[in-house]
């Protein structure tokens, strides 16, 4: 209550926003699906055969009809690193009216369900992704997990997963679990290739991963159709209500309507939606245009997505400056949009906000108060000089520790105020557990720009510390690197293969020379050794080093290949290692016994992974700001037994002021 009062007080003197709300999208009774009665019966019979086969195998276990109790946990879980306020809506419940068509009744005696002329009465609960369902599906942001313990009876995978029509002829991807309570849980419409590796017959407990949300089969959009059937193949509604006399089976009860804001965010342009995840045969998804860093005088868009949004429920919005004083405020009511219905299970709206030309630098805030809850999103305003070596160093997202970027900023490489950024992105394959993958990012970084647009490249076909030289690796996509300040950044990426996303980055260690205006130069001069180094004889691989004598840290990322990487297809031949030392003092020119780590088993832009135990050691001799020698010896891992010496030079000359003291 105090926070709410403070919010109202802080906005009381702010000017009102005059720009109208723009409707991004509404979800009325979609996504929907269809399972003809005959098809439903065929699946139920198949599951019964599987159940009987399992009972013959496991004679110690028997499933019999029993009094049902509340044993269902929530069947969805956000992937690591994905943390909005909410991520779903409910489009449809079980239809309790057996008549058809157009005669429907959900468990609360409402009409949030459907049927059709074929005799199909919707038999489950549909949880749809929101507000960017196709993007969220492609990035596997939301996982399907077991709602209750049991045994996997059947699995179906390999089916097309971007269906957008009830007339789709394809089959769905699904997992069927015979629960310990005697009910069979149907998890339908999963993303192709996302299903659990657990085999049929394996036990699962509540919360175990089953797959990712998709739109396979007869489906109009990415959603989970969660259905329960009893021993007689009758549909069981897990919700209790006036029109559903059965027990409520949820451990934590679910409200019939749960009005809320799912996301509150800032953008460089109005988010673009798509009606279907395919256009002209090519996969597509929404373009959110997320951005959290702006300059004074910029226009930005505030976007809010809602679930269970009803006319008459007013949202109070505000934008506040770094000192907490208000820039503007506005109220929003769905009733103002003159839409066809007073209630939607999902909506999205945005508003244009023009920052004043004298907007103070620092961290700003967008606030929203809706349905008794307060929401906030931070963004930064400033004119951080991108043309400075001070941005050089290691950056990462704590939610995906074990992967990240090492950056070198080449100040004034293209002339006064015209810098250049290069970065090594060490990560993993798109599937877990995945092998190592690395990319390089390159592009201009000019003073006064809010961000740097970089090409994404990947070198393949090389060998570990050996020829051939690799030149002009193929461009695989585009990245936008925005720095909110000297310690926080945002990487937006779009790969040609369809991968897109946004990564919030933080410095891995303390900022040394970076400032809003540019390098301060008030730091140990050998910090300027940080950057990209390579051996010209094996061009196409090398090192990014982060020297931080103020913290006595030395961190390096070694981008290379498997010993026979040239004969290994594509990115599978890539390898990367990290070199770490926690006792690097200013003025050091010889450092021995630094640990080499080999990290594997991670997933592209998801999850945390440990570097594990060292696989070798390295010695470094620093001759000058442009010449070093690294000697290595591997004692474990894929390079066990290999040793050698690499003569290193800077990819670009040393920055002004570099010295070994």
């Amino acid at each position: 209550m105090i926070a709410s009062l403070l919010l109202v007080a802080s906005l009381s003197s702010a000017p009102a926003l005059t720009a109208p709300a723009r409707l991004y999208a509404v979800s009325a009774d979609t996504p929907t699906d269809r399972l003809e009665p005959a098809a439903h019966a065929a699946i139920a019979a198949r599951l019964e055969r599987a159940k009987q086969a399992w009972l013959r195998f496991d004679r110690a276990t028997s499933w019999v009809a029993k009094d049902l109790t509340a044993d269902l946990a929530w069947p969805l879980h956000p992937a690591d690193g994905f943390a909005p306020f909410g991520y779903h809506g409910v489009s449809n419940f079980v239809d309790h009216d057996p008549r058809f068509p157009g005669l429907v009744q959900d468990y609360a005696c409402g009409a949030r369900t459907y049927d059709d002329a074929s005799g199909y009465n919707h038999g489950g609960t549909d949880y749809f992704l929101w507000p960017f369902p196709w993007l969220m599906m492609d990035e596997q942001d939301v996982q399907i997990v077991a709602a209750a313990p049991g045994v996997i009876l059947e699995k179906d995978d390999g089916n097309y997963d971007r269906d957008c029509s009830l007339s789709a002829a394809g089959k769905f991807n699904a997992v069927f679990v015979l629960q310990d309570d005697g009910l069979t849980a149907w998890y339908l419409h999963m993303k192709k290739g996302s299903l659990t590796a657990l085999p049929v017959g394996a036990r699962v407990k509540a919360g175990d991963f089953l797959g990712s949300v998709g739109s396979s089969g007869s489906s109009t959009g990415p959603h989970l159709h969660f259905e329960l059937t009893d021993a007689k193949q009758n549909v069981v509604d897990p919700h209790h209500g006036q029109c559903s006399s059965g027990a409520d089976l949820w451990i934590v009860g679910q409200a019939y309507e749960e009005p809320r804001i799912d996301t509150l965010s800032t953008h460089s342009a109005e988010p673009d939606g798509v009606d279907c995840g395919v256009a002209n045969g090519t996969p597509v998804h929404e373009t959110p245009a997320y951005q959290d860093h702006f300059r004074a005088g910029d226009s930005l868009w505030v976007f809010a997505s809602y679930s269970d949004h009803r006319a008459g429920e007013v949202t109070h919005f505000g934008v506040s400056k770094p000192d907490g004083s208000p820039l503007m405020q506005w109220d929003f009511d769905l009733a103002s949009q003159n839409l066809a219905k007073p209630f939607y299970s999902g909506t999205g709206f945005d508003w244009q906000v023009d920052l004043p030309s004298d907007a103070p630098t620092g961290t700003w805030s967008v606030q929203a108060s809706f349905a008794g809850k307060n929401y906030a999103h931070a963004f930064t305003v400033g004119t951080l000089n991108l043309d400075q070596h001070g941005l050089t160093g290691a950056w990462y997202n704590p939610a995906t520790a074990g992967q990240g970027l090492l950056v070198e900023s080449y100040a004034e490489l293209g002339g006064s105020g015209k810098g250049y950024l290069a970065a090594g992105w060490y990560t993993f394959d798109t599937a877990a557990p995945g092998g190592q993958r690395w990319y390089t990012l390159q592009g201009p970084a000019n003073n006064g720009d809010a961000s740097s647009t970089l090409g994404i490249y990947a070198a393949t076909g090389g060998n570990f510390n050996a020829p051939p030289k690799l030149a002009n690796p193929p461009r695989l996509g585009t990245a936008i690197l925005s720095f909110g300040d000297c310690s926080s950044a945002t990487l937006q990426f779009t790969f040609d293969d369809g991968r897109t996303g946004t990564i919030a980055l933080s410095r891995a260690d303390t900022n040394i020379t970076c400032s809003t205006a540019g390098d301060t130069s008030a730091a140990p001069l050998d910090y300027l050794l940080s950057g990209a180094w390579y051996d010209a004889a094996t061009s196409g691989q090398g090192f990014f080093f982060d020297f931080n004598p103020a913290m006595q840290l030395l961190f390096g990322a070694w981008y290379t290949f498997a010993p026979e990487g040239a004969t290994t297809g594509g990115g599978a031949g890539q390898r990367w290692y990290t070199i770490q030392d926690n006792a690097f003092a200013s003025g050091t020119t010889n450092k021995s016994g630094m640990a080499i780590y080999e990290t594997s088993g991670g997933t592209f832009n998801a999850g945390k992974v440990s570097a594990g135990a060292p696989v070798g050691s390295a010695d470094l001799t620093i001759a000058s700001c442009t010449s070093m020698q690294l000697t290595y010896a591997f004692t474990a891992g894929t390079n066990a037994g290999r040793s050698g010496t690499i003569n290193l030079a800077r990819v670009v000359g040393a920055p002004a002021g570099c010295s070994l003291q």
Side-chain angles (χ1 to χ4, degrees):
M1 191 64 175
I2 293 176
S4 178
L5 290 172
L6 288 174
L7 176 63
V8 173
S10 68
L11 298 178
S12 60
S13 60
L17 181 69
T18 57
R22 186 204 64 142
L23 175 64
Y24 158 74
V26 296
S27 173
D29 299 317
T30 57
T32 56
D33 48 51
R34 174 182 291 164
L35 187 56
E36 307 292 352
H40 190 280
I43 293 174
R46 173 189 169 201
L47 296 177
E48 180 62 24
R49 291 192 297 270
K51 173 182 173 181
Q52 295 304 320
W54 174 252
L55 290 177
R56 289 192 295 271
F57 172 76
D58 183 11
R59 296 181 181 275
T61 305
S62 64
W63 279 267
V64 296
K66 58 185 72 174
D67 292 333
L68 298 177
T69 57
D71 65 348
L72 295 181
W74 183 242
L76 298 174
H77 189 274
D80 288 344
F82 181 67
F85 304 125
Y87 49 80
H88 86 287
V90 178
S91 52
N92 299 286
F93 296 104
V94 173
D95 182 12
H96 286 268
D97 191 328
R99 299 171 297 170
F100 62 90
L103 298 167
V104 297
Q105 189 174 74
D106 62 34
Y107 76 92
C109 302
R112 293 180 67 179
T113 186
Y114 63 97
D115 59 17
D116 64 28
S118 73
Y120 175 60
N121 297 95
H122 188 249
T125 305
D126 287 340
Y127 301 99
F128 64 92
L129 302 185
W130 197 248
F132 305 117
W134 295 100
L135 175 62
M136 295 164 70
M137 168 187 153
D138 287 343
E139 296 187 348
Q140 299 190 56
D141 286 331
V142 181
Q143 300 173 347
I144 299 169
V145 298
V151 171
I152 296 178
L153 273 187
E154 292 283 3
K155 293 166 55 179
D156 292 312
D157 198 2
N159 298 308
Y160 184 63
D161 58 5
R162 305 186 84 86
D163 286 326
C164 305
S165 169
L166 293 182
S167 62
K171 297 180 179 180
F172 45 64
N173 305 309
V175 174
F176 302 89
V177 175
L178 178 57
Q179 298 180 167
D180 292 349
D181 61 10
L183 301 179
T184 299
W186 302 30
Y187 302 86
L188 308 186
H189 308 296
M190 292 183 176
K191 179 177 173 61
K192 181 173 67 175
S194 74
L195 272 63
T196 174
L198 292 174
V200 168
R203 281 199 60 82
V204 295
K205 61 183 182 298
D208 280 353
F209 173 81
L210 299 179
S212 295
V213 178
S215 188
S216 53
S218 182
S219 168
T220 62
H223 74 290
L224 165 65
H225 174 101
F226 177 69
E227 181 170 328
L228 296 170
T229 54
D230 63 17
K232 296 182 179 180
Q233 290 80 51
N234 297 313
V235 170
V236 174
D237 192 338
H239 299 90
H240 171 78
Q242 187 176 350
C243 289
S244 176
S245 59
D248 192 295
L249 302 183
W250 298 102
I251 297 172
V252 177
Q254 298 181 27
Y256 181 66
E257 288 185 20
E258 187 184 353
R260 64 188 182 274
I261 289 178
D262 283 328
T263 61
L264 180 64
S265 47
T266 51
H267 304 252
S268 61
E270 290 184 304
D272 282 337
V274 296
D275 293 328
C276 179
V278 178
N280 299 319
T282 301
V284 296
H285 52 228
E286 301 85 2
T287 305
Y290 288 119
Q291 186 164 310
D292 289 332
H293 178 68
F294 303 90
R295 294 181 298 177
D298 280 352
S299 293
L300 62 89
W301 280 259
V302 171
F303 175 73
S305 65
Y306 296 80
S307 287
D308 289 354
H309 198 182
R310 184 173 289 281
E313 297 172 335
V314 176
T315 310
H316 304 288
F317 287 98
V319 176
S320 296
K321 301 174 185 177
D323 63 1
S325 62
L327 174 71
M328 59 183 57
Q329 66 177 3
W330 68 98
D331 289 344
F332 174 69
D333 187 339
L334 183 65
S336 67
Q337 301 303 295
N338 298 315
L339 299 176
K341 297 174 59 177
F343 172 84
Y344 291 89
S345 52
T347 66
F349 295 88
D350 60 48
W351 297 264
Q352 181 177 331
V353 174
D354 297 323
L355 296 173
S357 59
D358 60 350
T361 61
T363 301
W364 292 54
S365 176
V366 177
Q367 306 114 0
S369 178
F370 174 69
K373 295 181 180 179
N374 296 324
Y375 304 84
H377 173 77
F379 65 96
T380 59
V381 175
T383 54
L384 179 70
N385 184 0
L386 300 184
D387 181 27
Q388 59 173 312
H389 185 268
L391 297 173
T392 298
W395 298 75
Y396 82 120
N397 185 330
T400 57
Q403 52 187 302
L405 273 71
L406 267 84
V407 173
E408 181 167 18
S409 178
Y410 303 105
E412 301 193 342
L413 187 64
S416 179
K418 298 180 182 292
Y420 199 80
L421 274 177
W425 182 359
Y426 55 101
T427 182
F428 302 93
D429 202 351
T430 54
Q436 297 174 324
R437 294 292 181 271
W438 55 264
Y439 306 95
T440 55
L441 313 179
Q442 300 177 43
N446 301 321
N447 186 12
D449 288 347
S451 60
S452 177
T453 301
L454 313 170
I456 304 175
Y457 304 87
T460 58
N463 294 311
F464 173 75
N465 192 31
K469 295 181 180 180
L470 301 175
N472 301 320
R475 181 171 176 141
L476 304 182
T478 301
I480 300 175
L481 188 57
S482 306
F483 292 90
D485 53 37
C486 291
S487 298
S488 63
T490 301
L491 179 73
Q492 298 172 264
F493 60 87
T494 302
F495 283 87
D496 295 341
D497 62 13
R499 283 176 290 164
T500 64
T502 301
I503 307 174
L505 297 169
S506 302
R507 270 195 187 270
D509 50 21
T510 302
N511 165 46
I512 298 295
T513 68
C514 178
S515 74
T516 300
D519 284 314
T520 63
S521 299
L525 299 181
D526 45 5
Y527 158 72
L528 299 176
L529 292 168
S530 299
W533 295 73
Y534 81 126
D535 180 356
T538 57
S539 178
Q541 55 185 297
F543 298 77
F544 277 87
F545 285 108
D546 183 3
F547 290 87
N548 195 320
M551 297 182 67
Q552 295 195 331
L553 295 177
L554 190 160
F555 181 82
W558 185 354
Y559 299 84
T560 182
F561 303 92
E564 303 298 331
T567 61
T568 303
Q574 292 182 324
R575 296 290 184 272
W576 56 262
Y577 305 92
T578 57
I579 298 173
Q580 303 179 40
D581 184 81
N582 296 322
F584 182 83
S586 183
T588 299
T589 56
N590 291 278
K591 190 65 184 176
S592 61
M594 299 182 297
I596 302 175
Y597 292 87
E598 180 176 9
T599 307
S600 61
T603 304
F604 174 77
N605 191 32
K608 296 181 180 181
V609 61
S610 170
V615 295
S617 62
D619 301 337
L620 191 64
T621 301
I622 306 171
S624 69
C625 286
T626 57
S627 177
M628 295 194 299
Q629 186 178 80
L630 183 129
T631 300
Y632 61 88
F634 286 90
T635 57
T638 57
N639 267 352
R642 293 182 177 272
S643 61
T645 297
I646 309 174
N647 294 314
L648 296 172
R650 294 196 82 123
V651 173
V652 176
C658 183
S659 170
L660 301 185
Q661 297 186 335

